[in-house]
Amino acid sequence: MTTQTHASLKTELDAFREGWTRRVGAETATLVAQDIENLRQSGLLDRVARAGSPIPALRLPNAAGDPVNLRALAESGPLVIVFYRGGWCPDCNLELRSYQKRLADFASRGATLVAVSPETPDDTLDTAEKNGLAFPVLSDVAGRLADALGIRFRLSPEIEALYRQFGHDLPARNGDGEWSLPVPATFVVERGGTIAAAFVDPDYWHRLDPADALTVLAQLPSAAPLPSDEIRRPHGFR
């Protein structure tokens, strides 16, 4: 039996970042880097839900507008929640496609995979179709889940102006009139609803590789073990 290999998400993100920096120029890249550092120093990470916290019992609409109960999903087995900023974010699309490639691996370990963004169901439907996603993509209406997990923040005036320039109308896409976003994050939830691991990084160029999420799943009680060459634990867990 041959083992299927996957390019690391970091490799793909690093390559995109290199091209993005060339396109936007050093001034814009420096502005974004400084804003990321300001967010890191803001104290937001002190408020993030950590391992041992319960996942909030909220219902979020899927791309068809039907409510999905997160706690109910966790009652049937482990749950992996991937927060992304929106379909307008190229990094997020790379991340979502990376998880789609490993969807069978998550299913083989009895885990349910969902993606969550602040965008409206119409926009999440576009994201799911564009990326060929076969797992649920949910809308965090008014940022309730992001607020409960401590990962929602208001954009700085400088980044708001930059996004306006880029044509990213977040108040319209998110349907709440707010210039706010979740920090990209991945939460691995044990059966029953307790967070087993939380990966949160204000630097949106850093995302949790699916292989690392699978490593966490393999460490849960009664989980099927991963091959030893796939076991790793990156920085950024809370």
Side-chain angles (χ1 to χ4, degrees):
M1 181 178 67
T2 59
T3 300
Q4 185 177 5
T5 60
H6 302 269
S8 77
L9 178 56
K10 182 180 185 303
T11 298
E12 295 179 336
L13 291 172
D14 286 348
F16 178 81
R17 183 178 189 175
E18 183 178 344
W20 175 86
T21 301
R22 287 197 301 268
R23 289 193 299 274
V24 303
E27 183 177 351
T28 296
T30 299
L31 169 66
V32 170
Q34 184 59 59
D35 190 76
I36 288 171
E37 183 58 28
N38 291 343
L39 183 58
R40 189 184 301 281
Q41 300 299 326
S42 69
L44 178 144
L45 292 176
D46 295 333
R47 303 189 296 271
V48 170
R50 297 170 182 268
S53 302
I55 194 69
L58 293 175
R59 295 175 181 267
L60 305 183
N62 61 19
D66 300 320
V68 175
N69 187 322
L70 291 177
R71 187 67 65 80
L73 289 181
E75 288 298 330
S76 62
L79 174 65
V80 178
I81 304 173
V82 178
F83 267 92
Y84 69 101
R85 304 192 302 165
W88 53 269
C89 169
D91 304 61
C92 299
N93 291 313
L94 285 172
E95 179 183 32
L96 294 173
R97 290 196 294 271
S98 182
Y99 274 83
Q100 174 61 37
K101 292 174 185 176
R102 302 299 300 267
L103 184 58
D105 295 323
F106 286 97
S108 71
R109 288 165 178 82
T112 299
L113 176 65
V114 300
V116 178
S117 87
E119 294 191 307
T120 66
D122 282 347
D123 284 305
T124 59
L125 177 60
D126 288 343
T127 298
E129 291 178 343
K130 175 175 65 177
N131 292 297
L133 305 182
F135 54 88
V137 183
L138 310 180
S139 293
D140 185 18
V141 179
R144 294 183 302 149
L145 181 58
D147 279 338
L149 294 171
I151 61 173
R152 191 183 186 205
F153 68 97
R154 178 71 163 76
L155 270 65
S156 68
E158 294 80 9
I159 297 301
E160 178 183 329
L162 182 66
Y163 282 12
R164 288 180 184 274
Q165 178 185 334
F166 287 166
H168 302 325
D169 188 352
L170 301 188
R173 293 184 68 96
N174 298 347
D176 61 1
E178 299 287 338
W179 283 92
S180 65
L181 286 173
V183 174
T186 300
F187 294 88
V188 180
V189 183
E190 297 180 30
R191 180 193 295 270
T194 299
I195 296 173
F199 179 87
V200 184
D201 193 329
D203 188 343
Y204 60 81
W205 298 103
H206 297 163
R207 309 295 175 102
L208 183 67
D209 194 286
D212 297 317
L214 288 164
T215 292
V216 176
L217 285 171
Q219 296 168 349
L220 298 181
S222 303
L226 279 175
S228 59
D229 60 352
E230 286 200 44
I231 296 177
R232 8 179 239 178
R233 189 168 180 83
H235 297 294
F237 279 109
R238 303 285 159 186

